Amino acid sequence: MAFIELNNVVKNYAKGSEVVHVLQDLNLSLEAGDFLALMGPSGSGKSTLLNLIGGIDQPTAGRVVVAGSELGSMSSSQLAKWRSESIGFVFQFYNLLPFLTAQRNVELPLLLTNLNGSQRKENAMTALRTVSLDDRAKHKPGELSGGQQQRVAIARAIVADPQILVCDEPTGDLDRQSAQEILALLEILNEQFKKTIIMVTHDPLAAEHAKNILHLDKGVLVESGQTEVAT
Amino acid sequence: MIKQIFKISLMNLRNLPSRFGISSVVVVGIGGVVGVLVAILAMASGFESALSSGASNDRVILLRDGSTDEMASSISQAEVALIETLPGVAALSPELYTVVDVPKMDTGTYANLIARGVGTGAFEVRPEVEIVAGRNFEPGRTEIIAGAKAATEFRGLDVGAEVPLRDSMWRVVGHFEAAGSAYESEIWLDFPAALNAFRRNSATSLRVRLDSPASFEELTQAIESDPRLQVQVISEPSFMERQSATLRQTIKSFGYAVAVIMAIGALFAALNTMYTAVSTRTIEIATLRAIGFSSVPIVVSVMIEAVILAILGGALGALFSYVIFNGFTVATLNPAAFSQVAFDFNVSTEIVYLGMTWAIVIGFFGGLLPAISAAYIPITTALRGE
Ligand SMILES: Nc1ncnc2c1ncn2[C@@H]1O[C@H](COP(=O)(O)OP(=O)(O)OP(=O)(O)O)[C@@H](O)[C@H]1O
Ligand SMILES: [Mg+2]
């Protein structure tokens, strides 16, 4: 079985009395160490797919297996624990806590571990060094540029050393220069730190940085790049 | 789980100052409610204690049969002489209860003031009465002593001042206190001099001090069995109770009604503020949940924060009320006695506790609903920011 495997996944949302069919009988398998760019028009279900892999959403039908865990059969508290160990999230709007310093933001996932205060600080500083922001550890998000905030968010995503990073339009709110820095950073995390990365993006230039590209259209995956799409 | 609660709460609380704006709205909102609640209850409590304080079991009031208050009662000199000889009577004061018009201290408008002619036994009947300034009046002279509260509520009652009562001028020779009881809102004068000045020839009522509370039955028996006496005997506690029952009930139910209405209004206002305070953090909370924090610690930590803010608000409101109102003297008309009764706001510990309880209840429920909704909506929905 592949590192990430989705079999016959269906995802519907109830919108009032209507049912919105977002993903239809979707199959996907990814190997560990992949860096996948997920593209497609707005509303095609990219975020939905990413959220299923990240374990913050559950499929209506089908199987989602990530890093050996069958997510559909887990309770919400089991899922929470699993996420804290296996997944790092990077959001389009960074989602940092505005009243915490960069270092405290990065420490957040470590509050769920048994590390003590000084160990947490040390690990947070290591993560900040990885994203080259250790000199801004004491700054609050409001005192940082968008690109810097996203780097803090990436530090937060990797600080607990998860195997997988899920990034929903991580450069969607950034200028070209900052976007390039973020993408270069993701490449380093993929190549040197062996993180499996799934990144949703609208930007073909951003997708270039990935190893593989998949297109999602109306809830169906369309092959491109070299990724094998299970049928 | 406990560790998570502890860590998130600590983080939240440490960062309260950074959310000063919204936090202070919550604190001030709850503070206002508790402040008003405490003030109203303190007023009711102060009023009650002014009306009933000092009632004693070994004192009785004698009124004409069928009279319900001193004003509408009359007891002749002959009856007084008879009663003086009855068993169980330790001290006795025939009294003339009248009402005079004197200008109020603050507005200068005339208001009713009780002028009580008291017999020489009055001070034996009421040992709590104490001259605190000047001296007592001398029998037979047109001198008065003023209760401490009357002296601050009405004009021209300073020691040495002259007051026109009916046709003659009276000199204020002293001030007295009476352990905070309603007598402090009266002026007292010599009984015979009062009869003379007000052109009356009988007392309105009698105050009697008994040998012991047990003599009550004995005295009642003796009076009822004597056909020459058309007099009823009422113990002081039940007399005071009767005098103030309606008013006390009115003030109390009014106070509680206002407090309850305010508290309900405030609960919704506080709920609303809390809701805003928490829902602006919906995305933050969803992010924490995505990272792997569970819902329960998030709810608990939001609750802890809400309750702490509420306690701060409650303490602020209670303190504010205490500083402004405790001991603050106001006067109101006692309709049963046709006179002004002055009383102090009494911000007691129980009232403060009650105010704090309200604060905690408001904080608890104000925080609970938004916390639960923020912690249990699907993470994806919350992250979409809808
Ligand atoms: N919680 C939800 N409730 C109802 N409908 C939803 C929900 N989440 C997503 N949808 C719907 O599912 C469809 C796919 O949404 P999704 O966010 O996955 O699209 P997307 O490809 O990420 O789009 P975008 O590029 O705009 O981010 C949309 O029509 C959206 O309205
Ligand atoms: Mg999306």
Side-chain angles (χ1 to χ4, degrees):
Chain A
M1 182 176 290
F3 184 60
I4 295 175
E5 191 154 323
L6 281 74
N7 301 126
N8 310 105
V9 165
V10 175
K11 181 68 188 180
N12 300 331
Y13 285 111
K15 217 168 206 167
S17 55
E18 241 176 284
V19 178
V20 186
H21 302 279
V22 183
L23 300 178
Q24 295 157 31
D25 200 26
L26 186 139
N27 292 287
L28 168 69
S29 67
L30 289 180
E31 292 310 323
D34 203 344
F35 182 171
L36 174 71
L38 206 50
M39 300 190 71
S42 185
S44 57
K46 304 181 295 294
S47 297
T48 303
L49 176 56
L50 198 67
N51 292 340
L52 289 174
I53 295 171
I56 53 175
D57 205 354
Q58 299 267 37
T60 309
R63 238 159 56 102
V64 179
V65 181
V66 181
S69 298
E70 148 96 75
L71 303 190
S73 63
M74 289 162 78
S75 73
S76 65
S77 59
Q78 284 171 325
L79 265 178
K81 182 162 167 36
W82 175 83
R83 286 196 301 271
S84 72
E85 289 160 356
S86 313
I87 303 284
F89 287 95
V90 179
F91 305 96
Q92 179 175 0
F93 298 105
Y94 334 126
N95 292 19
L96 299 173
L97 303 204
F99 50 86
L100 294 183
T101 62
Q103 178 211 319
R104 293 256 179 225
N105 263 293
V106 175
E107 273 183 41
L108 277 175
L110 300 179
L111 293 179
L112 295 165
T113 66
N114 288 323
L115 298 180
N116 66 30
S118 61
Q119 290 167 323
R120 289 202 298 267
K121 182 178 176 193
E122 198 177 308
N123 289 11
M125 288 309 292
T126 307
L128 280 172
R129 218 168 291 126
T130 307
V131 301
S132 316
L133 271 183
D134 42 328
D135 55 334
R136 298 295 161 92
K138 293 289 166 228
H139 288 59
K140 292 195 175 168
E143 300 155 4
L144 299 171
S145 73
Q148 288 172 328
Q149 289 185 59
Q150 193 61 298
R151 275 147 66 194
V152 173
I154 290 172
R156 180 181 66 187
I158 61 173
V159 73
D161 201 25
Q163 292 172 280
I164 303 162
L165 297 182
V166 298
C167 314
D168 199 343
E169 304 188 37
T171 59
D173 197 46
L174 298 177
D175 58 76
R176 176 61 49 205
Q177 171 69 29
S178 306
Q180 283 302 324
E181 287 169 19
I182 295 299
L183 291 162
L185 184 56
L186 290 177
E187 275 183 277
I188 291 172
L189 292 174
N190 175 247
E191 279 159 19
Q192 292 177 21
F193 293 78
K194 306 297 173 207
K195 305 291 178 201
T196 303
I197 300 178
I198 303 128
M199 173 179 76
V200 167
T201 183
H202 279 287
D203 177 5
L205 286 175
E208 299 271 292
H209 291 260
K211 286 178 180 161
N212 294 297
I213 302 175
L214 277 180
H215 285 271
L216 196 58
D217 197 3
K218 298 197 183 85
V220 180
L221 277 177
V222 186
E223 191 173 358
S224 84
Q226 312 104 337
T227 307
E228 71 276 22
V229 179
T231 42
Chain B
M1 186 69 94
I2 303 287
K3 250 194 221 161
Q4 264 194 56
I5 293 176
F6 180 74
K7 286 175 185 167
I8 306 184
S9 303
L10 196 68
M11 178 187 90
N12 260 341
L13 296 180
R14 205 185 285 142
N15 291 291
L16 262 185
S18 2
R19 288 195 302 273
F20 183 79
I22 191 79
S23 307
S24 53
V25 170
V26 173
V27 170
V28 170
I30 293 180
V33 174
V34 171
V36 174
L37 180 74
V38 165
I40 290 174
L41 293 179
M43 186 177 83
S45 142
F47 187 75
E48 188 159 357
S49 68
L51 286 181
S52 61
S53 81
S56 171
N57 263 331
D58 62 357
R59 284 199 292 235
V60 295
I61 290 124
L62 278 65
L63 299 179
R64 170 128 323 262
D65 269 342
S67 299
T68 52
D69 57 63
E70 291 182 88
M71 191 82 143
S73 163
S74 130
I75 298 176
S76 71
Q77 306 271 22
E79 284 175 307
V80 174
L82 267 174
I83 291 164
E84 215 160 4
T85 63
L86 292 178
V89 175
L92 172 144
S93 163
E95 311 204 330
L96 180 70
Y97 180 99
T98 56
V99 166
V100 295
D101 272 347
V102 176
K104 292 273 287 174
M105 187 66 88
D106 45 2
T107 56
T109 51
Y110 281 79
N112 288 345
L113 172 64
I114 296 170
R116 186 187 290 277
V118 296
T120 42
F123 299 91
E124 233 180 296
V125 173
R126 305 182 186 84
E128 71 271 23
V129 171
E130 198 186 344
I131 302 291
V132 292
R135 58 171 174 83
N136 202 348
F137 58 74
E138 277 179 24
R141 300 180 68 164
T142 50
E143 294 179 344
I144 60 179
I145 53 174
K149 286 196 178 108
T152 55
E153 285 293 318
F154 289 90
R155 286 189 188 171
L157 295 181
D158 298 330
V159 175
E162 296 240 299
V163 191
L165 297 183
R166 294 294 148 90
D167 303 333
S168 36
M169 291 302 283
W170 296 70
R171 179 175 294 281
V172 180
V173 296
H175 287 170
F176 69 91
E177 282 178 1
S181 70
Y183 296 125
E184 290 185 6
S185 300
E186 304 179 347
I187 55 174
W188 284 11
L189 35 152
D190 180 45
F191 177 67
L195 283 184
N196 206 14
F198 292 91
R199 297 199 188 85
R200 305 273 279 271
N201 43 38
S202 57
T204 50
S205 54
L206 272 184
R207 300 279 162 149
V208 169
R209 178 173 205 89
L210 301 171
D211 292 338
S212 79
S215 305
F216 181 76
E217 283 302 318
E218 199 183 351
L219 181 65
T220 311
Q221 285 291 325
I223 287 176
E224 280 178 0
S225 60
D226 190 331
R228 290 166 295 175
L229 295 173
Q230 304 299 314
V231 171
Q232 52 173 328
V233 185
I234 311 158
S235 79
E236 190 175 62
S238 65
F239 181 72
M240 291 200 169
E241 184 89 33
R242 208 153 91 184
Q243 287 294 289
S244 60
T246 340
L247 181 61
R248 200 161 56 196
Q249 204 45 51
T250 312
I251 288 221
K252 232 176 156 175
S253 10
F254 172 76
Y256 280 113
V258 169
V260 165
I261 291 167
M262 286 212 21
I264 292 172
L267 178 65
F268 283 99
L271 274 174
N272 193 37
T273 330
M274 290 278 196
Y275 228 104
T276 321
V278 177
S279 40
T280 56
R281 288 158 69 193
T282 301
I283 291 182
E284 283 174 28
I285 289 173
T287 306
L288 287 175
R289 289 170 63 201
I291 287 173
F293 289 88
S294 322
S295 294
V296 174
I298 291 175
V299 172
V300 173
S301 66
V302 171
M303 296 301 302
I304 289 177
E305 183 182 331
V307 169
I308 285 181
L309 288 181
I311 289 176
L312 276 178
L316 198 76
L319 183 74
F320 188 74
S321 255
Y322 182 83
V323 169
I324 306 245
F325 292 119
N326 196 38
F328 177 68
T329 302
V330 291
T332 186
L333 194 68
N334 180 346
F338 302 104
S339 62
Q340 294 277 334
V341 175
F343 61 94
D344 293 340
F345 277 58
N346 176 19
V347 181
S348 64
T349 1
E350 292 92 81
I351 290 174
V352 171
Y353 280 145
L354 193 69
M356 292 304 289
T357 310
W358 270 105
I360 292 170
V361 167
I362 292 172
F364 186 83
F365 288 105
L368 187 64
L369 302 179
I372 285 184
S373 83
Y376 287 94
I377 58 166
I379 299 176
T380 49
T381 311
L383 284 176
R384 285 157 61 91
E386 285 170 357

